[in-house]
């Protein structure tokens, strides 16, 4: 059996492996993990599809893992934004059971979702515009079979 790996973006940590039979049809999903968490979710009619969640800020795409993703100016943050309007520990984005919630960590310049300042944990939807201080970005959810998305600023 021969294996084909699909690559998401430029991040080598994220690979989806699918076993390919002789006829070329994808048959069996092979373990696909990011920091120990499966990236495969049930799709339409019980099929399995890979899901990739990311934040697009400027020309960069930050891939988000399941669990807690910290956002801030600190180099240890999952999403490090080097801008003076962003606090060292600005916000927290939690992905749990396929649902993403964004919470401001009492930052000086605040966090906005779709133009509204948030004060409590807020659920994010695909395509939501988020703003950390004066830095805008977008929360994007892509299925493994989706073509790569591009954002024109």
């Amino acid at each position: 059996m021969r294996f084909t790996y699909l690559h998401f973006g430029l991040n080598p940590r994220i690979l989806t492996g699918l076993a390919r039979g002789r006829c070329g049809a994808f048959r069996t999903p092979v373990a696909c993990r990011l920091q120990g968490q499966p990236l495969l979710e049930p799709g339409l009619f019980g099929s399995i599809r890979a899901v990739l969640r990311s934040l697009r800020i400027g020309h960069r795409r930050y891939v988000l893992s399941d669990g807690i993703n910290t956002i801030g100016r600190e180099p240890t943050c999952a999403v490090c934004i080097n801008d003076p309007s962003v606090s060292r520990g600005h916000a927290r984005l939690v992905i749990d059971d396929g649902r993403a919630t964004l919470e401001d960590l009492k930052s000086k310049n605040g966090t906005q979702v779709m133009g509204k300042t948030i004060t409590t944990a807020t659920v994010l939807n695909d395509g939501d515009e988020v703003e950390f201080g004066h830095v805008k970005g977008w929360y994007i959810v892509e299925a493994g079979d989706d073509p790569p998305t591009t954002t024109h600023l």
Side-chain angles (χ1 to χ4, degrees):
M1 187 175 285
R2 167 172 73 117
F3 293 97
T4 302
Y5 292 97
L6 304 175
H7 181 66
F8 289 108
L10 301 174
N11 191 338
R13 295 183 317 151
I14 299 173
L15 294 174
T16 300
L18 297 171
R20 195 181 269 227
R22 263 191 288 180
C23 66
F26 289 109
R27 292 187 177 164
T28 313
V30 178
C32 172
R33 299 192 178 274
L34 169 66
Q35 297 179 356
Q37 299 295 322
L39 281 175
L40 299 176
E41 290 188 353
L44 194 58
F45 305 115
S47 62
I48 295 178
R49 63 187 175 119
V51 174
L52 178 70
R53 293 172 175 79
S54 63
L55 273 179
R56 302 250 176 162
I57 298 174
H59 295 289
R60 296 195 66 182
R61 177 170 77 169
Y62 298 90
V63 176
L64 303 168
S65 61
D66 283 348
I68 298 172
N69 297 274
T70 55
I71 301 161
R73 212 174 58 234
E74 193 71 34
T76 58
C77 290
V79 178
C80 180
I81 305 170
N82 190 14
D83 187 270
S85 69
V86 176
S87 299
R88 279 184 238 136
H90 196 95
R92 177 183 317 145
L93 200 153
V94 180
I95 298 177
D96 188 28
D97 291 331
R99 191 174 109 167
T101 55
L102 181 65
E103 178 182 3
D104 185 65
L105 298 177
K106 300 183 180 174
S107 60
K108 183 178 179 182
N109 293 313
T111 303
Q112 295 182 3
V113 174
M114 300 302 287
K116 296 181 180 177
T117 302
I118 63 171
T119 55
T120 60
T122 304
V123 176
L124 292 179
N125 297 307
D126 184 22
D128 277 357
E129 182 183 81
V130 294
E131 190 170 347
F132 308 102
H134 302 297
V135 178
K136 285 190 180 184
W138 291 265
Y139 173 70
I140 306 293
V141 180
E142 298 173 277
D145 54 353
D146 284 348
T149 56
T150 55
T151 304
H152 300 284
L153 303 176

